[in-house]
Amino acid sequence: MTDASAGRRRGRPPRTESAGTRDRILDAAREEFSERGYDKTSVRGIAKSAGVDSALVHHYFGTKEQVFEAAVEVAFAPALKARDAVLGGPLDDVGERMTRVIFGLWENPVTRKPLLAIVRSAFNNEAAAAVFRRLVTAQLLRRIAGEIDAPDAELRAELAAAQLVGIAMMRYVIKIEPIASVGMEEIIARVAPVVQGHLTGR
């Protein structure tokens, strides 16, 4: 790297480079959090992976927690879009739709890696867990709860989510057999009625 190019990577970039630099930092952050978890990831490590000065990471995102939140929001975007698919139909089969959508995200290698990064970090660090709770509660569970005509709708949505997250942990993170290798359709057939029961009691 020349002195000139090194100089361009330090401090605030020209406006034309801003969007690309920000995206590169987010990509590097997702990789670092996925590989190392929240505790072992540092702003300096993210900057090194992105090929920028650490001051740029602080400039765009602030603290490590804020970098994590930005990375989580981007990584969690498919789940937020999937929320509309869950709600886009009658409540009589919302349990199956929710089960298919959530496990579909875990089955897809493209979305599985950032999900693993989020879950592992949230389980190991309270700051990361707070970000995860805030995102999931505000943008996913409350929307689902809003469609349920019951006084305990938020509890119902949380219990349904807990059912799915617990099974996902056993299948994709801990990899306990036989749940880790059984066919997805069998899991859906067994789990969807339980999720439906949590959500609607029917």
Side-chain angles (χ1 to χ4, degrees):
M1 180 184 298
T2 65
D3 292 341
S5 63
R8 283 197 300 270
R9 289 181 181 274
R10 301 183 69 84
R12 184 177 300 187
R15 185 171 298 177
T16 54
E17 295 181 10
S18 296
T21 301
R22 190 179 189 281
D23 289 344
R24 194 163 69 248
I25 292 171
L26 279 179
D27 288 341
R30 284 194 295 274
E31 287 294 325
E32 290 291 307
F33 286 123
S34 178
E35 295 297 327
R36 301 174 184 275
Y38 186 90
D39 287 333
K40 294 183 180 179
T41 295
S42 66
V43 169
R44 181 174 295 180
I46 292 170
K48 182 178 180 181
S49 179
V52 301
D53 189 85
S54 58
L56 272 182
V57 180
H58 290 296
H59 166 70
Y60 283 116
F61 302 104
T63 64
K64 183 173 81 168
E65 181 178 340
Q66 290 169 313
V67 180
F68 179 77
E69 183 162 10
V72 165
E73 285 193 72
V74 173
F76 206 65
L80 298 180
K81 292 178 181 177
R83 169 193 62 196
D84 298 328
V86 172
L87 298 176
L91 285 179
D92 288 343
D93 57 3
V94 66
E96 180 173 348
R97 291 199 306 277
M98 186 174 182
T99 302
R100 284 190 179 279
V101 164
I102 296 302
F103 284 135
L105 294 171
W106 282 99
E107 286 288 298
N108 185 340
V110 175
T111 49
R112 183 190 308 153
K113 188 171 184 178
L115 281 173
L116 284 171
I118 294 166
V119 170
R120 284 170 175 160
S121 295
F123 269 84
N124 293 327
N125 182 275
E126 176 53 34
V131 170
F132 184 55
R133 283 196 301 269
R134 186 162 63 244
L135 184 67
V136 171
T137 300
Q139 298 196 40
L140 185 63
L141 295 184
R142 282 181 185 163
R143 281 286 305 277
I144 294 173
E147 299 296 314
I148 301 171
D149 184 18
D152 57 351
E154 287 196 17
L155 175 61
R156 287 173 175 271
E158 289 173 3
L159 287 171
Q163 186 87 41
L164 296 173
V165 169
I167 293 170
M169 286 290 293
M170 294 180 68
R171 180 175 174 88
Y172 303 103
V173 180
I174 306 173
K175 298 182 179 179
I176 295 176
E177 294 293 351
I179 199 170
S181 58
V182 71
M184 180 48 56
E185 286 301 317
E186 182 174 348
I187 289 181
I188 290 172
R190 291 173 178 264
V191 174
V194 181
V195 174
Q196 182 73 36
H198 286 312
L199 293 173
T200 66
R202 297 193 293 271

